[in-house]
Amino acid sequence: MLLDVLRSRRVLFVGGKGGVGKTSISSAIALARAREGARVLVVSTDPAHNLGHLWGAEVGDEPVRLATAAHGYVDGIEIDPRATVDRHLAAVHDAMRRILPERMHPHAKRHLELAREAPGSHEAAVLERVADTVELAREHYDLLVFDTAPSGHTLRLMALPRQLGDWTETLLANRDRSERFSSAMRGLASGRDSDPERSGDALIRQALLRRRGRFELLQRTVADPLATGFVIVSVAEPMPVAETLELSESLRRIGVDIAALVVNRRSPQDAGELLAARRRLEDRGLRALEDRLPGVPLAEVPLLGGDPRGEAAVAALADALP
Ligand SMILES: Nc1ncnc2c1ncn2[C@@H]1O[C@H](COP(=O)(O)OP(=O)(O)OP(=O)(O)O)[C@@H](O)[C@H]1O
Ligand SMILES: [Mg+2]
C-alpha cells in the first residue's frame, strides 16, 4: 500500500520528530524501490547524520553505493554543510582576488572568515546541496529520498528556496548597478576596459545565475504534488501524534503535499500484557491521526526485534512495509 502510493513520486522528503525512524524508513523505502528496479539516492540533510550508521557504511558528501538489487540500487549521501560552505567561500575568495586591488586582499579574506561563521550559513549551504542533488537526480536517479532533520529545521529548509531566490535576485540587481559603475570608473581612469576585472564580474554573475536556476528548479520540484511528496514518520504515542499534527499543518501552509503518514514501531498485540497495553494506547493515537488527517494514506510498520544495523536490518524493514 505504502509503496503503491509512493511509486509515482520522484522526490520524497521524509520527516518527523527526532528518533521516530526517519532514517530507517527512508532507507527501507529506498531498498524496496531498488528491488523493483529503481535507481535510488538517499540524501541525509540532518547535520547529526545516522544514515552511515544504519547501513554500517562510510557515507559522505558524494554518493556511495549502499545496496544493489536486481536492476536497481541504493546510493547514499550525507550532506556536509561545512565542506559546502568552504567550497563556496573558496570560489568567492577567488573571484574577489580577481576583482579587488592587492592591498584589499587581506581585508576580503577576513570578511570571508566572518561569513563562514555567520548565522544561517550552514542552513543555506545545506539548501544549496539539496538543490544540487535535485538537479543531479533528474538525470541519474529514478527516486530521490531526503532523510531530513527533525521537524523545525526541515520546515525552515523548505521555506528557504523562495527567500534565497529573492536574495539572489537582489544580488544580481546590485551587480548590474555596480558593474555599470565600475566600468564607467575604469573608462575614466584608463580610457579603456580592463579585461581581468570584467572577467571577475562575469564569473560572479554567472555563479549567481546558475544558483538562481537551481533554486527555481528546487522550488518547482517542492511545489509539484505529482512528482514530490512529504512522508511524515511518527509513532502513535500522544506527544509525537501532537507534533505530527502540527507538522502536517505547517506543511499544508507552505504548500507541500503530504504523500503518506507512516506510523512506525507498532507494538504487537500477542506478545505479553505490557506490549498489548502499549498497543491500546497507540490505537488511540492512530484514531486521532486518522480523524485529523482524513485522506492522507496511513501505513503502519511493526516494531521489529534484532540488530537494527546493516543491510539485513534495512531489508527486514523493507519487507515489513505494507
Ligand atoms: N520498525 C522498527 N522496529 C524497531 N526498531 C526501529 C524501527 N524503526 C526504527 N527503529 C529504531 O529506532 C531508532 C531510531 O530510528 P532512526 O535512526 O531511523 O530514527 P530517526 O528519526 O532517523 O532519528 P534521528 O531523528 O535521530 O535522525 C533506531 O535505533 C532504529 O533502529
Ligand atoms: Mg535520522
Side-chain angles (χ1 to χ4, degrees):
M1 166 277 198
L2 179 66
L3 291 173
D4 294 333
V5 167
L6 300 182
R7 198 164 284 119
S8 61
R9 318 272 175 147
R10 293 181 61 91
V11 182
L12 295 174
F13 287 87
V14 177
K17 193 175 153 57
V20 291
K22 295 177 295 298
T23 304
S24 308
I25 296 293
S26 300
S27 298
I29 291 172
L31 185 61
R33 291 283 286 115
R35 286 168 171 174
E36 297 176 351
R39 300 164 301 160
V40 188
L41 177 63
V42 184
V43 179
S44 167
T45 68
D46 188 348
H49 301 291
N50 59 352
L51 187 62
H53 296 154
L54 170 63
W55 287 88
E58 194 73 33
V59 180
D61 211 43
E62 297 296 323
V64 293
R65 186 69 31 100
L66 297 173
T68 45
H71 302 290
Y73 49 81
V74 179
D75 286 353
I77 291 181
E78 288 180 348
I79 289 180
D80 178 351
R82 183 153 280 272
T84 312
V85 171
D86 287 349
R87 260 199 312 272
H88 181 64
L89 291 183
V92 175
H93 189 214
D94 198 46
M96 276 184 156
R97 288 174 67 90
R98 287 169 205 247
I99 298 169
L100 295 173
E102 192 148 348
R103 67 188 158 76
M104 296 291 283
H105 289 182
H107 182 70
K109 197 161 177 218
R110 263 200 314 280
H111 188 74
L112 287 178
E113 287 308 320
L114 288 175
R116 187 190 307 278
E117 305 306 332
S121 70
H122 279 206
E123 237 166 36
V126 170
L127 191 73
E128 189 112 30
R129 289 287 285 139
V130 167
D132 276 350
T133 48
V134 166
E135 203 174 37
L136 168 87
R138 259 157 56 110
E139 271 188 46
H140 300 287
Y141 295 94
D142 304 305
L143 173 65
L144 177 58
V145 183
F146 287 106
D147 168 18
T148 70
S151 322
H153 183 262
T154 303
L155 282 173
R156 282 204 301 281
L157 209 63
M158 312 225 38
L160 264 177
R162 174 154 293 135
Q163 291 165 14
L164 283 187
D166 291 349
W167 182 62
T168 307
E169 219 47 66
T170 311
L171 285 180
L172 274 167
N174 285 346
R175 281 230 67 74
D176 283 345
R177 236 178 299 140
S178 79
E179 217 165 317
R180 278 199 300 277
F181 176 74
S182 56
S183 78
M185 291 306 287
R186 281 195 299 271
L188 282 179
S190 66
R192 62 186 171 84
D193 279 344
S194 103
D195 281 346
E197 293 183 22
R198 284 191 74 77
S199 74
D201 274 348
L203 271 179
I204 291 184
R205 200 184 157 72
Q206 225 175 35
L208 286 173
L209 282 171
R210 252 205 321 275
R211 173 179 215 204
R212 181 172 68 178
R214 277 203 306 266
F215 285 146
E216 274 169 4
L217 173 65
L218 177 60
Q219 218 171 309
R220 273 203 309 280
T221 306
V222 168
D224 176 3
L226 291 179
T228 307
F230 202 99
V231 176
I232 303 182
V233 182
S234 185
V235 290
E237 287 158 19
M239 297 258 282
V241 165
E243 267 196 48
T244 296
L245 293 172
E246 272 167 34
L247 173 60
S248 58
E249 204 35 60
S250 312
L251 286 170
R252 288 206 163 128
R253 260 202 310 275
I254 58 175
V256 177
D257 186 60
I258 303 171
L261 172 60
V262 174
V263 176
N264 192 22
R265 293 204 300 249
R266 275 286 269 157
S267 304
Q269 196 149 27
D270 52 2
E273 183 43 36
L274 179 67
L275 287 173
R278 284 208 72 79
R279 189 178 173 89
R280 285 195 292 277
L281 182 75
E282 292 163 11
D283 287 342
R284 281 211 290 278
L286 210 63
R287 271 199 300 278
L289 289 170
E290 276 166 348
D291 287 351
R292 297 282 304 278
L293 300 172
V296 176
L298 189 152
E300 295 176 47
V301 174
L303 176 72
L304 300 181
D307 188 344
R309 286 161 308 168
E311 190 178 333
V314 179
L317 202 58
D319 290 336
L321 295 179

